Amino acid sequence: MQFEVWAPQAGRVTLQCDGVTRAMERDPEREGWWRGEAEAHDGSRYGFALDGGPVRPDPRSRRQPDGPDGPSAVVDHARFAWRAQWGGRPLPGAVLYELHVGTYTREGTFDAAAERLGHLAELGVTHVELMPVCPFPGRHGWGYEGVSLWAVHEPYGGPEGLKRFVDRAHALGLGVVLDVVHNHLGPSGNYLPEFGPYFTDTHHTPWGAAVNLDAPGSDEVRSYLVQSALAWLRDYRIDGLRLDAVHALVDTRAHHFLEELSEAVDTLAADTGRPLFLIAESDLNDPRVVTPREEGGFGVHAQWNDDFHHALHTALTGESQGYYADFARAPLAALAKTLTGGFFHDGTYSSFRGRHHGRPLDRDRVAGHRLLGYSQTHDQVGNRARGDRLAALVSPGLLACAAALTLTAPFTPMLFMGEEWAAGTPWQFFTDHTDPELARAVRDGRRREFAAHGWAEEDVPDPQDPATRDRSCLDWSEPEREPHARVLAWYRLLVALRHEQPDLTDPDLGDTKVAYDEERCWLAFRRGDVRVAVNLAGEPAAVPLGAPGARVLAAWEPVRAPGPDGVLHLPGESAVVLLQE
């Protein structure tokens, strides 16, 4: 078997495979690359030593059986027998469900999560979006401090476990999206700098030196990231990738990394005959991210839209701290702006940033499905001091309003695991760092961060305490009892309506018409023949819907359709979906 590694600064490289050491030779056709042969098979342990140093894992390791610091292992992807016949599932018309393998079940494995996929098929979602699964230190963590960008966290089940999960999802008609982190690697077990200029001091990110996308040596680094992305889509039959914090991918080259990646993914989609897509997490409010390449954009297929979340959250909770401040001044107006224009900050002043931010979307060029809308995500829940979900902050009626707005909005809706039954469990920030100094730094840093916002240290959960992770695991007995069962039935009904009513998947952002009353706390909008209204106040509201003869499709509380005057009498803290016939 032939092994290869990029180590442009090394004068000598040796390969250690199954206890046997062999010298490697420079590849005469690829500068900086080394190659060598050794007898190996699926499961063989190996690593590389540079200039007589310690044996390190392969930067392109497909498996780390003993964690990030141990040797790599050969993976023969052809050994897995795929069962599901799968032609793929495109993003337009999708309903996504964000899932963390380590807390979706108490067991915290791919196999245990796969046993619960039937619940998602019944819910009606189309794609499961997995949070990162690359190896990280310890057993439990969010996954955003992973290393070995081609490998799978062993405690979850390793490569075989991920394949079984994907195969089961596809058998149930569910696509799988994987969250990948290209903007940084974890501080523990990261040996890439020993091999080459994977990082650069030319730019800096919140996590330190930036990934090298435009400095000397960046051609190979970009290829490393692109090929890693394609490997997930090809070897694991993943349907799409969520790209973490692309605003931290600093690239001054004329051919931006995101454009290069989207080209490669579109080429693979054409070669395989499966629809494949990229979803960016972007703080830029820059339409270029989701504008097609042929129109001068980067060609990413969709992006998260935090502006919709922030407007909705402030309208529901009244919170106004931090980045919520601008939205909280007139939350229903902010919500109306996002429903019709996508971005709230589209060149407007952002008090949180202390500057103007964003740029308007061209609604004639950008389809609504290219923005993801949500009322909760792992970030917006887990980065609260106590990890409290929306269900801990508002009434079931307001949760019903949030669900109605999210699942009928012109965006691609995404749910966060447990949201669909108003889970009573929090989702907190937890780690399992094996380095005591790093564990202490993370714990103290998080407490200092929230102390600056008025939280007492003792109220901030210790990320290293196993109980923090345990509290964050879903309680699967909840959906069977009230009030959770009622919320779950509401979500199932709304998801079904989204699939049944063509107007709810119409990609035309400009077709959404909104009316609201900031003082009386109601908002209504029209998408084609579908009318949606929510009353966030505790008292009933008279909403001039202007839709006499409309038929009620779904209502959180009993409500009559508007009479001849077109006025809808909507109970407090409730939502309704109607069809104009």
Side-chain angles (χ1 to χ4, degrees), residues 326-374:
D326 292 330
F327 300 85
R329 291 189 180 95
L332 292 185
L335 189 55
K337 183 176 181 180
T338 63
L339 285 168
T340 55
F343 296 149
F344 174 76
H345 284 303
D346 55 2
T348 59
Y349 184 78
S350 166
S351 63
F352 176 70
R353 298 174 178 86
R355 59 171 175 80
H356 286 75
H357 183 68
R359 187 172 183 172
L361 281 171
D362 184 342
R363 297 187 301 176
D364 294 330
R365 299 173 64 192
V366 178
H369 73 260
R370 292 188 180 274
L371 299 179
L372 266 63
Y374 36 82

Side-chain angles (χ1 to χ4, degrees), residues 175-363:
V176 180
V177 180
L178 178 63
D179 195 338
V180 295
V181 184
H182 290 161
N183 52 61
H184 75 289
L185 274 74
S188 181
N190 177 15
Y191 300 107
L192 287 185
E194 297 182 20
F195 284 88
Y198 283 89
F199 300 89
T200 175
D201 290 326
T202 304
H203 312 292
H204 290 272
T205 73
W207 307 282
V211 173
N212 180 14
L213 298 176
D214 56 7
S218 59
D219 286 354
E220 290 292 352
V221 177
R222 293 163 73 107
S223 176
Y224 172 81
L225 297 175
V226 169
Q227 294 304 316
S228 168
L230 297 182
W232 295 115
L233 300 171
R234 180 186 61 246
D235 300 334
Y236 292 92
R237 300 191 179 184
I238 299 291
D239 299 283
L241 301 176
R242 183 260 190 187
L243 309 175
D244 182 64
V246 300
H247 46 271
L249 295 171
V250 186
D251 182 9
T252 61
R253 289 167 63 159
H255 190 202
H256 196 278
F257 170 73
L258 290 177
E259 185 180 357
E260 182 177 341
L261 179 59
S262 71
E263 287 173 345
V265 169
D266 287 349
T267 298
L268 181 62
D271 291 344
T272 61
R274 287 193 295 130
L276 305 173
F277 53 85
L278 298 171
I279 301 172
E281 179 199 18
S282 175
D283 185 40
L284 302 174
N285 282 22
D286 186 347
R288 286 178 297 178
V289 173
V290 294
T291 297
R293 296 187 303 276
E294 57 270 21
E295 298 178 20
F298 295 156
V300 176
H301 306 91
Q303 74 160 73
W304 282 25
N305 185 12
D306 274 354
D307 281 11
F308 172 75
H309 169 272
H310 297 347
L312 178 56
H313 187 87
T314 57
L316 295 169
T317 68
E319 292 186 357
S320 60
Q321 70 277 17
Y323 48 64
Y324 290 137
D326 292 330
F327 300 85
R329 291 189 180 95
L332 292 185
L335 189 55
K337 183 176 181 180
T338 63
L339 285 168
T340 55
F343 296 149
F344 174 76
H345 284 303
D346 55 2
T348 59
Y349 184 78
S350 166
S351 63
F352 176 70
R353 298 174 178 86
R355 59 171 175 80
H356 286 75
H357 183 68
R359 187 172 183 172
L361 281 171
D362 184 342
R363 297 187 301 176

